[in-house]
Amino acid sequence: MEMFRPELLQALVAVADVGSFTGAAQALGLRQSTVSQQIKRLEEAAGRRLIDRDTHRVAMTPEGEALLDHARRVLDAQERMRRHLTDTPLRGRLRFGASEDFVLSALPDVLASFARRYPEVDIELTAGLSETIYQAFDAGTLDIIFVKRRTYDRRGVTAWAEPMSWVGRPGLAIDPAAALPLLLYPPPSVTRAAAIEALEAARRSWRIAFTSGSLTGLSAAARAGIGIMPHSARLMPAGLSVIPPREDLPRLPAMEFVILGPGGHHAAADTLTAAILQWAAGGRTAG
């Protein structure tokens, strides 16, 4: 019966979804050592190794993959039983803030997963620049946020990190001798600051050809061929493509995408965090 303990199955699912023990511990609100101990107990109960881990990666073994689907089913059945017995479905409002690039790309899949789990929770969404979302969270007007990490702020659970890319209309011709036409958010903007800093360090001339506080506006300008913009390749708007590396285009720094929540036991926020982390890990959304 040890194998059916919910905390052990939750640890397995979290590690599989997030791809690391550290991220799983953050998602579950536990210490990393606790998650490691739970996985060890589960492996001892199962009599087989479920997760291969070294200093560089964490991967499910074939036995772990086979058990993972059963673990999801058991946890789902336990949750349905709990709701039936308590007859107190989670209700209320969850104030969620997210950067606009995430809202226009991944959010529909994430929300579908969350809504299946908590259909009676009302979500109040605020989309905008990461810096603005941070300020609203710190002011207490948002419960949970998904943003680009600020260089000086180490809070939050990391969803993923990737080098920023220069993106623009496919086939756009860029004159290496002319000032680079940039499409940027107004300040304060994490990507704006990173792009300008990289260009200045490379001594590449540039000009701001178009400014908009909306990703929709920047995307329209990019599709029109007005210029190029720094952006996440993973969250890239439709109709645009990554500009291949060029000598006259400096490399952009890596950008980290993080989730900040209320902390403690907040079922709705925890579930939304798990849905985002699962999407980020490339797994199917749970529901």
Side-chain angles (χ1 to χ4, degrees), residues 106-120:
L107 188 60
D109 290 337
V110 171
L111 287 183
S113 169
F114 180 85
R116 286 194 297 270
R117 186 79 178 271
Y118 294 119
E120 297 188 48

Side-chain angles (χ1 to χ4, degrees), residues 13-25:
V13 170
V15 172
D17 288 346
V18 181
S20 73
F21 281 78
T22 301

Side-chain angles (χ1 to χ4, degrees), residues 2-3 5-15 21 24-25 28-46 50-51 53:
E2 178 78 359
M3 287 181 58
R5 294 180 65 89
E7 66 271 20
L8 305 188
L9 299 180
Q10 288 167 354
L12 179 70
V13 170
V15 172
F21 281 78
L28 294 171
L30 302 172
R31 296 177 181 271
Q32 181 178 333
S33 59
T34 301
V35 174
S36 297
Q37 291 169 4
Q38 290 173 336
I39 295 298
K40 182 179 180 181
R41 287 170 56 191
L42 187 60
E43 289 178 329
E44 291 174 348
L50 304 176
I51 298 177
R53 56 273 215 194

Side-chain angles (χ1 to χ4, degrees), residues 136-156:
F137 179 78
D138 289 336
T141 60
L142 294 173
D143 301 311
I144 178 173
I145 61 174
F146 179 87
V147 287
K148 301 177 184 72
R149 186 188 291 283
R150 299 184 291 195
T151 55
Y152 58 87
D153 195 330
R154 306 315 300 170
R155 293 176 296 169

Side-chain angles (χ1 to χ4, degrees), residues 264-282:
H265 296 287
H266 192 300
D270 291 346
T271 300
L272 184 55
T273 296
I276 295 172
L277 292 175
Q278 189 169 346
W279 179 90

